[in-house]
Amino acid sequence: MTNDRSPHDASSGGTSSGSESDGSDSSTEDEFETDGITLAEFHEACQREGRPVLTAGAVARTLEQPHEAVSEQLETLAKQGDLERLSVSTDPVVWYPSELEDLTDRERVVIFPKRREIVVDRPDQFTRAQLAQFAHLADANGEDGYRYVVRPEDVWQAPHDSFDALARTMRQALGQRSEELEEWVHSQWDRAHQFRLRTHEDGYTVLEAKSPEVMGNVARQKLDEEHVHAPISESEDWVREGSEAAIKRLLYEAGYPVQDHRDLETGESLSVDLQVSLREYQQTWVDRFAEAGEGVFVGPPGSGKTVAAMGAMAHVEGETLVLVPSRDLARQWADAVAEYTSLEPSQIGQYHGGQKNVRPVTIATYQIAGMDRHRSLFDDREWGLVIFDECQHVPSDVYRRSTHLQSRHRLGLSASPIREDDRQTEIFTLVGPPIGTDWQALFDAGFVAEPELEIRYVPWGDDEQRNTYTSAEGREKYRIAARNRGKVDEIRYLLSSHPDSKALVFVDYLEQGRDVAAALDVPFLSGETPHHERRRLLEEFRRDERDLLVVSRVGDEGIDLPTADLAIVASGLGGSRRQGTQRAGRTMRPAGGALVYVLATRGSREEDFARRQLQHLGRKGMTVRERTLERSGDGDDRDSQADGETSET
């Protein structure tokens, strides 16, 4: 870490700017003079006031400190070179950070410990890699500005064996020590090590607490006879078989993640060699998985999560069960394992509605694995590793039954582990902690190309549909807006504007898909399409024998769509944020120049849904533009287009 970074600690130097008086007025000023104002507290005052330049009076008012003492401390910061002073006509002196004069190419970190936020300008790759170990990238403006938030779950899953090791990583990332932030992180680290599950010498599972107090005040308040048989000691409970996952979830929700130290079966050994080289970040994912024994690989489509999962298989070298949402993905997984590992096709089995073969590596659908009549086949085999593909589904009532399958190692894969029912924390309790690289880092390194994403607000194709929308209610409004006939003309226009592109058109409604496919004279791939027909169409698209497909929501996760240069989302804006991620991600591959157009009917609820659904992609570093199309008298809206573009979404 270089030493040319500017001072930015918001917590060193003692008294917090927001501390309350203890009622003793006589000691306030003396204490303030002793402790002083830090540069980061000045930054916080600037943020509260909404200005980069402040008078001493404004600083005193914002930080609730005496004016005279503040003036002295500002003079001290100026002598240290942290602040500059400027005399102006409207006020004797205004103050501003010295670093404002030299922000063009320097990395700068500002810490806000009370909010547990870290704002970084122009961070280098080392800083971002260190921050990713204990903080969540909450926002990236696409112009070298990043906002990280340190959440409890980020500390709980930090890949360190001790708090001291975590503290060293924090200091490397921040350039110095922030006592207030470290104190909070230490408290969360302690919470993450209060409970553990272990195997008793007689074979049953024990929940063990660090102290009788935390066992009595937390675990025994949250758990009942459905979860535990009886106490063994003041700090140990005998766990009912099969309730381990529920215990982990309940204590996680209470703010106490459980360390899983059970002696689970390692499964039959299976020699697996990876036939391809992992990228540096993929190897980091595998290394972190190897340390923890569990986790969720989180990365954008195209980042190679499946190949990284095979790297985890090679590390474990045990028989592996892969759970997927559909039989199409099961087939694609089987092909990929045969292609990228040393395993023979005879060692790879699929278990779903099409075929039922259990082999050393078995790929099964969640639905089949959760059925009672099939469960024994999976329970009887000792798996060394269970992989949950598209693991954002795991919290759902149908899919979570598959998490009862016990294995020493559990691995999830997801481009966007978010759920509209806010149950995403269950993903990490049932499978493992998140492991990933922020999207912007992959864009910057060129591993994944950032697509150009544009929301286009399309006028109604005719007054009849608009009037029908106005009088409709509830979900009928979504359906009418989605099927706006003006979108067909817009799709034609976009395709003609990119004549050499391979394109995918996404729709949410079968009727709309059939109408669009008929208008374009191309196939419509949906859940009703026979499996053999799906395979044929997708292979033709991959081999460049076909350059356009209309796809229903079956393409979001149920199948591995080939890479496209152009994606047009014609409907589906009432769906989830995850759906927006999946559809935008169909163009995220190493080759650049990809385009994503999202069509929303102007003046309908689709406008708000489009912004909301894609907003989190902007926070991941993608640039999201907007354009409003104006309908002209003859129905051709091309010449009257309003170029109202923005990258703020």
Side-chain angles (χ1 to χ4, degrees):
M1 178 72 70
T2 60
N3 293 321
D4 62 349
R5 301 163 76 173
S6 60
H8 45 255
D9 184 17
S11 58
S12 63
T15 302
S16 165
S17 63
S19 60
E20 297 181 359
S21 170
D22 61 1
S24 176
D25 295 336
S26 61
S27 64
T28 301
E29 191 166 332
D30 291 339
E31 290 175 356
F32 184 74
E33 289 176 352
T34 301
D35 294 334
I37 298 174
T38 66
L39 177 60
E41 286 175 325
F42 185 86
H43 277 298
E44 188 166 354
C46 289
Q47 186 177 52
R48 292 183 190 175
E49 290 290 312
R51 293 180 294 164
V53 178
L54 297 180
T55 64
V59 176
R61 180 180 64 254
T62 303
L63 299 183
E64 299 179 355
Q65 301 288 357
H67 186 285
E68 182 178 352
V70 166
S71 296
E72 292 179 4
Q73 295 304 322
L74 294 177
E75 292 283 1
T76 299
L77 288 175
K79 291 177 182 178
Q80 295 172 356
D82 295 334
L83 294 183
E84 298 289 339
R85 57 181 294 162
L86 178 67
S87 297
V88 295
S89 59
T90 56
D91 198 279
V93 176
V94 293
W95 304 84
Y96 62 92
S98 303
E99 56 204 21
L100 285 179
E101 298 178 343
D102 183 25
L103 291 179
T104 55
D105 57 2
R106 289 195 329 178
E107 176 181 293
R108 184 170 71 95
V109 180
V110 180
I111 309 166
F112 300 96
K114 295 181 182 62
R115 300 200 303 268
R116 300 188 293 278
E117 290 187 5
I118 302 162
V119 178
V120 193
D121 289 329
R122 300 184 181 277
D124 59 28
Q125 289 189 350
F126 175 82
T127 300
R128 284 163 61 178
Q130 298 296 87
L131 285 168
Q133 296 187 46
F134 65 90
H136 168 69
L137 179 62
D139 202 359
N141 64 13
E143 299 178 357
D144 302 315
Y146 299 79
R147 182 174 66 90
Y148 289 85
V149 178
V150 186
R151 307 168 302 179
E153 56 265 37
D154 301 314
V155 179
W156 298 345
Q157 60 88 30
H160 297 82
D161 295 328
S162 67
F163 172 74
D164 288 341
L166 173 56
R168 284 194 296 272
T169 296
M170 291 178 61
R171 293 166 195 169
Q172 287 175 334
L174 304 178
Q176 61 161 19
R177 181 176 182 176
S178 173
E179 293 184 2
E180 186 174 349
L181 182 60
E182 282 191 19
E183 182 179 348
W184 181 84
V185 169
H186 198 176
S187 70
Q188 293 301 318
W189 176 271
D190 283 342
R191 275 178 169 262
H193 294 81
Q194 292 296 319
F195 292 101
R196 69 167 182 155
L197 290 171
R198 64 175 178 84
T199 301
H200 192 272
E201 60 183 11
D202 293 334
Y204 58 85
T205 300
V206 174
L207 174 66
E208 181 181 272
K210 199 170 184 179
S211 68
E213 290 75 20
V214 74
M215 174 62 84
N217 294 332
V218 180
R220 288 175 182 162
Q221 299 297 319
K222 297 292 181 181
L223 308 178
D224 53 31
E225 62 274 7
E226 178 184 349
H227 308 105
V228 295
H229 287 287
I232 300 175
S233 70
E234 289 185 339
S235 59
E236 298 173 305
D237 279 359
W238 176 11
V239 173
R240 287 188 181 276
E241 185 177 357
S243 67
E244 293 88 353
I247 289 174
K248 291 167 70 175
R249 176 175 56 83
L250 288 169
L251 292 182
Y252 189 101
E253 291 172 349
Y256 291 87
V258 179
Q259 303 290 311
D260 196 340
H261 294 167
R262 288 175 291 165
D263 297 330
L264 295 173
E265 296 293 341
T266 58
E268 295 293 328
S269 62
L270 179 67
S271 177
V272 181
D273 292 325
L274 197 60
Q275 308 286 57
V276 293
S277 298
L278 295 177
R279 297 168 181 168
E280 183 179 354
Y281 69 87
Q282 291 172 317
Q283 187 61 57
T284 300
W285 293 355
V286 174
D287 291 344
R288 288 182 60 180
F289 165 79
E291 292 175 7
E294 60 182 18
V296 177
F297 289 168
V298 180
S303 57
K305 296 183 293 295
T306 301
V307 173
M310 295 178 202
M313 290 172 55
H315 166 76
V316 171
E317 289 198 321
E319 296 197 348
T320 300
L321 174 65
V322 182
L323 298 173
V324 297
S326 72
R327 68 169 72 177
D328 285 308
L329 273 181
R331 177 185 56 79
Q332 291 157 14
W333 255 94
D335 292 342
V337 171
E339 180 178 358
Y340 296 120
T341 73
S342 58
L343 296 175
E344 299 293 331
S346 61
Q347 296 175 286
I348 306 166
Q350 298 179 53
Y351 200 98
H352 46 69
Q355 53 180 292
K356 294 180 173 61
N357 299 309
V358 178
R359 304 277 170 76
V361 173
T362 300
I363 302 101
T365 58
Y366 284 101
Q367 293 89 337
I368 287 287
M371 292 181 180
D372 291 335
R373 65 178 181 272
H374 299 293
R375 281 280 301 280
S376 61
L377 291 172
F378 301 109
D379 285 333
D380 292 345
R381 199 160 192 129
E382 296 178 355
W383 305 104
L385 171 65
V386 178
I387 298 175
F388 302 86
D389 196 7
E390 303 290 0
C391 68
Q392 63 273 3
H393 292 297
V394 162
S396 68
D397 295 334
V398 173
Y399 285 28
R400 71 183 301 153
R401 298 185 66 186
S402 61
T403 60
H404 296 166
L405 294 166
Q406 295 300 300
S407 170
R408 176 178 290 273
H409 302 288
R410 296 180 298 279
L411 174 64
L413 309 179
S414 180
S416 187
I418 53 177
R419 292 178 58 87
E420 304 309 306
D421 57 9
D422 293 325
R423 293 171 67 182
Q424 54 263 28
T425 56
E426 294 186 34
I427 299 169
F428 307 130
T429 61
L430 296 171
V431 181
I435 298 171
T437 304
D438 72 71
W439 290 31
Q440 186 65 46
L442 299 181
F443 295 155
D444 293 346
F447 290 121
V448 179
E450 176 185 356
E452 297 180 30
L453 199 154
E454 181 174 289
I455 306 173
R456 298 173 75 86
Y457 301 111
V458 182
W460 289 101
D462 56 58
D463 292 338
E464 180 184 356
Q465 272 194 316
R466 181 172 55 190
N467 294 335
T468 303
Y469 174 86
T470 302
S471 60
E473 297 181 356
R475 295 206 60 82
E476 184 65 11
K477 280 185 175 289
Y478 301 133
R479 188 186 67 81
I480 297 170
R483 298 186 65 187
N484 172 14
R485 285 187 281 271
K487 292 182 179 181
V488 176
D489 292 334
E490 184 61 25
I491 293 170
R492 284 199 181 102
Y493 170 77
L494 293 172
L495 293 174
S496 65
S497 299
H498 307 286
D500 299 325
S501 296
K502 292 176 63 177
L504 296 171
V505 179
F506 292 97
V507 298
D508 227 29
Y509 294 91
L510 293 178
E511 302 97 321
Q512 183 193 23
R514 297 187 189 104
D515 292 345
V516 172
L520 301 177
D521 192 25
V522 296
F524 175 40
L525 197 156
S526 72
E528 296 179 349
T529 308
H531 288 278
H532 69 276
E533 181 70 6
R534 286 192 209 176
R535 288 196 294 271
R536 182 183 66 81
L537 293 172
L538 293 174
E539 284 303 317
E540 290 176 355
F541 195 91
R542 287 189 180 93
R543 295 195 301 262
D544 297 331
E545 297 171 3
R546 185 179 295 279
D547 60 8
L548 177 60
L549 285 174
V550 179
V551 185
S552 76
R553 66 169 59 193
V554 72
D556 293 332
E557 296 163 347
I559 57 177
D560 184 15
L561 286 174
T563 304
D565 309 307
L566 173 66
I568 302 173
V569 182
S571 64
L573 304 179
S576 66
R577 290 167 289 168
R578 184 182 71 249
Q579 187 180 63
T581 302
Q582 292 285 349
R583 291 181 172 180
R586 294 310 176 188
T587 64
M588 289 185 192
R589 294 298 186 269
L595 300 165
V596 180
Y597 292 105
V598 177
L599 307 185
T601 297
R602 207 178 75 214
S604 75
R605 294 181 181 179
E606 282 193 326
E607 283 198 18
D608 293 333
F609 278 120
R611 292 190 181 97
R612 185 180 69 182
Q613 191 189 63
L614 299 174
Q615 187 178 43
H616 75 288
L617 292 178
R619 290 196 294 267
K620 291 177 181 295
M622 288 180 58
T623 300
V624 181
R625 298 190 301 270
E626 298 177 76
R627 176 170 295 188
T628 299
L629 309 180
E630 299 293 341
R631 181 183 173 193
S632 61
D634 59 1
D636 181 5
D637 51 44
R638 300 275 60 82
D639 295 333
S640 55
Q641 219 173 78
D643 294 332
E645 298 187 2
T646 177
S647 59
E648 297 178 355
T649 299

